[in-house]
Amino acid sequence: DIQMTQFPSTLSASVGDRVTITCRASQSISNWLAWYQQNPGKAPKLLIYKASSLESGVPSRFSGSGSRTEFTLTINNLQPDDSATYYCQQYNTYPYTFGQGTKLEIK
Amino acid sequence: QVHLVQSGAEVKKPGASVKVSCKASEYTFTSFAIHWVRQAPGQRLEWMGWINSDNGNTELSQKFQGRVTISSDTSANTAYMELSSLRSEDTAVYYCATGHDFDIWGQGTMVTVSS
């Protein structure tokens, strides 16, 4: 199985800051990578697909980049609502696999 | 607007089976595959498999092969995930997801396995 490793595991930042979350795949997944935001007790919400495509309705403060094995999610101008856990997911190879999550706290 | 509505919470004893449903509305059910993903308490998301509702083909994670059955009823716009031989480690929220690149998710179904 392809292992997805995210870092950092936790992140604390202030309103207005820019943060970056990294996701590393154990082998090349081309650009078949998605980023999700999940709040407690809720289903994941798609933010970015195919590594860098912004899902409709998601603020442009969110952006994704990368290819093959190294990917990043950047959130500009952090807002209080951005407090959540963020997951990456590869959907290049079965079984599809997720990162362990990055918990973002807004100070 | 497209919605996926899942069945309610379940409590099962070890060794039993559970069947979770996922009803789709406002879109052509056969347009997209339906995936099943679970999340144990405090754990990462885990993909279980998917079904092509157009032809009934499935792809299952090897981890669950032999224990999981994914099916669909196109006349009812509903997909199902049945997990058998339940154990405590199967306690989790089970989600269905569809659309392009997993953009539509059900609300989740809590399955608790406890004696």
Side-chain angles (χ1 to χ4, degrees), chain A residues 1-66:
Chain A
D1 297 1
I2 295 177
Q3 307 304 313
M4 304 299 292
T5 304
Q6 280 180 243
F7 49 91
S9 296
T10 60
L11 186 52
S12 182
S14 300
V15 172
D17 283 354
R18 179 171 76 174
V19 298
T20 297
I21 300 169
T22 300
C23 180
R24 193 164 284 157
S26 60
Q27 63 190 74
S28 175
I29 58 170
S30 184
N31 67 339
W32 296 104
L33 183 105
W35 289 98
Y36 300 90
Q37 177 191 66
Q38 187 179 35
N39 287 297
K42 300 292 187 185
K45 173 188 173 184
L46 179 68
L47 300 173
I48 302 287
Y49 61 97
K50 291 195 182 78
S52 60
S53 295
L54 187 68
E55 172 65 2
S56 175
V58 174
S60 58
R61 304 184 290 103
F62 292 86
S63 63
S65 65

Side-chain angles (χ1 to χ4, degrees), chain A residues 55-107:
Chain A
E55 172 65 2
S56 175
V58 174
S60 58
R61 304 184 290 103
F62 292 86
S63 63
S65 65
S67 66
R68 294 180 57 80
T69 63
E70 189 101 358
F71 302 86
T72 58
L73 172 70
T74 298
I75 311 172
N76 288 301
N77 187 23
L78 268 179
Q79 298 299 302
D81 275 357
D82 298 337
S83 178
T85 300
Y86 294 83
Y87 292 94
C88 61
Q89 177 211 16
Q90 68 83 16
Y91 52 112
N92 180 73
T93 303
Y94 298 125
Y96 298 161
T97 46
F98 293 82
Q100 79 278 19
T102 295
K103 188 171 184 177
L104 172 61
E105 172 202 271
I106 309 298
K107 291 180 201 168

Side-chain angles (χ1 to χ4, degrees), chain A residues 37-45, chain B residues 6 39 95-96 105-108:
Chain A
Q37 177 191 66
Q38 187 179 35
N39 287 297
K42 300 292 187 185
K45 173 188 173 184
Chain B
Q6 298 183 223
Q39 187 172 37
Y95 295 101
C96 56
W105 290 66
Q107 83 277 20

